[in-house]
Amino acid sequence: MRTWMRLSLAVLSATVIAGVSLSAQQQDFSQVQIKTTKIGPSFYTLEGQGGMIGALVGPDGVFLVDSQFAPLTDKIVAAVKQISDGRIKFLVNTHVHGDHTGGNENLGKLGVVILARPELRARLAKPAPAANGTPGTPAPAPALPVVTYTAKTIVHMNGEEIQLIPVPVAHTDGDTMVFFPGQDVLMMGDYFRTVGYPNIDRANGGSLKGMIDGLQAAIDLAKPTTKVVPGHGAMTDRAGIVAHRDMIIALRDKVAPLVQQGKTLEEVVASKPTSAYDARVPMPGTTGERFVGQLYAELKK
Ligand SMILES: [Zn+2]
């Protein structure tokens, strides 16, 4: 049992770290269709494969949030043409993972100006090695953000504000949430998700405290009416973020005393600290075990 558990955790962590780039190469994108949903007066979400895309449209052109995988760019550009004149001017990346930045190179070559935090740019240019030591592949120059920002930055476009708000060391160390006050839409990237348990990507600089602080910042920013769009999963609202934040704190407080008692990771996982939430979290799969492992590592440090 123990050996199996240790093995499965090792495989799990390797899969989690390598997962995004592996899946991009192995997946068949030919059958993926882009589903476009209007959620604000001039705002749409685009679902295909990978992270949720947001699009603000208007007379000045299109502002995109995240770019999914490279093989989907043509379909994404075609979907944007259905809701606008197709002139994509800007793209912001919420974080470095390939299911949110994979389309950067294609869009960069089309002349789209890419914005992101410098930490994200650095990780695209020089990716962390995989768990097995395989070095990452540096992104080509057109994929790299042209504009980087270290504090809240506002893009003025289509008669409204687009607020790029850094979220330090949460899901990764390069997270940004994007608020469109004129549309009452908040796009959060993967430091908030409504499928599976949270994911603190520690190899890419994520942290438990940063995730909790970032969720609090989103709670402070959102109004009860705000449409909250997670990196993965269904749209929700401010109350959805509060519940998620409360769950993380409850799980932290469940795991912390076990770490203090000197329990091993296997013992903590075997005590099933997530059991009270497993029926409530959509599609938990193995993400509960993954999150407990991340909590354990964060609380041990
Ligand atoms: Zn991610």
Side-chain angles (χ1 to χ4, degrees), residues 275-291:
S275 56
Y277 294 94
D278 287 342
R280 277 187 263 170
V281 170
M283 293 192 274
T286 56
T287 62
E289 259 185 51
R290 177 181 71 184
F291 185 53

Side-chain angles (χ1 to χ4, degrees), residues 29-214:
F29 292 98
S30 63
Q31 301 306 312
V32 174
Q33 292 186 345
I34 308 296
K35 183 183 163 207
T36 304
T37 309
K38 187 174 188 181
I39 65 166
S42 321
F43 198 93
Y44 299 81
T45 55
L46 277 66
E47 280 172 84
Q49 188 87 43
M52 186 73 78
I53 288 178
L56 175 74
V57 304
D60 300 336
V62 177
F63 186 102
L64 275 191
V65 180
D66 284 341
S67 61
Q68 291 185 1
F69 293 110
L72 295 173
T73 304
D74 288 348
K75 290 179 184 181
I76 290 161
V77 168
V80 168
K81 279 191 180 136
Q82 297 290 315
I83 53 173
S84 70
D85 63 10
R87 289 175 304 128
I88 304 173
K89 289 275 192 74
F90 298 103
L91 162 69
V92 66
N93 293 136
T94 60
H95 66 287
V96 71
H97 288 154
D99 57 333
H100 297 255
T101 58
N104 277 23
E105 181 183 6
N106 295 332
L107 291 170
K109 283 178 177 166
L110 291 174
V112 177
V113 175
I114 304 174
L115 308 100
R117 289 184 47 208
E119 293 86 352
L120 182 154
R121 190 181 193 282
R123 287 194 184 278
L124 272 182
K126 203 167 181 280
N132 61 10
T134 312
T137 309
L144 298 179
V146 174
V147 179
T148 58
Y149 49 86
T150 55
K152 178 178 167 181
T153 297
I154 298 177
V155 177
H156 300 267
M157 194 176 169
N158 296 327
E160 56 189 287
E161 284 190 1
I162 302 157
Q163 300 179 4
L164 314 178
I165 303 168
V167 181
V169 294
H171 175 60
T172 69
D173 60 7
D175 295 5
T176 293
M177 64 175 159
V178 190
F179 187 43
F180 298 84
Q183 306 291 318
D184 203 13
V185 169
L186 177 61
M187 298 216 46
M188 295 185 61
D190 284 6
Y191 88 96
F192 174 62
R193 53 188 305 152
T194 55
V195 288
Y197 280 92
N199 182 10
I200 302 168
D201 181 355
R202 303 179 72 246
N204 280 306
S207 80
L208 172 62
K209 182 178 186 305
M211 187 170 272
I212 293 170
D213 291 348

Side-chain angles (χ1 to χ4, degrees), residues 188-255:
M188 295 185 61
D190 284 6
Y191 88 96
F192 174 62
R193 53 188 305 152
T194 55
V195 288
Y197 280 92
N199 182 10
I200 302 168
D201 181 355
R202 303 179 72 246
N204 280 306
S207 80
L208 172 62
K209 182 178 186 305
M211 187 170 272
I212 293 170
D213 291 348
L215 291 167
Q216 186 60 54
I219 291 164
D220 294 342
L221 181 68
K223 293 179 286 183
T225 53
T226 301
K227 284 141 293 199
V228 174
V229 182
H232 298 271
M235 193 171 78
T236 181
D237 56 12
R238 186 177 180 276
I241 315 173
V242 171
H244 191 82
R245 189 270 319 265
D246 291 350
M247 175 183 76
I248 293 176
I249 289 173
L251 292 175
R252 176 197 69 187
D253 293 348
K254 209 153 188 196
V255 171

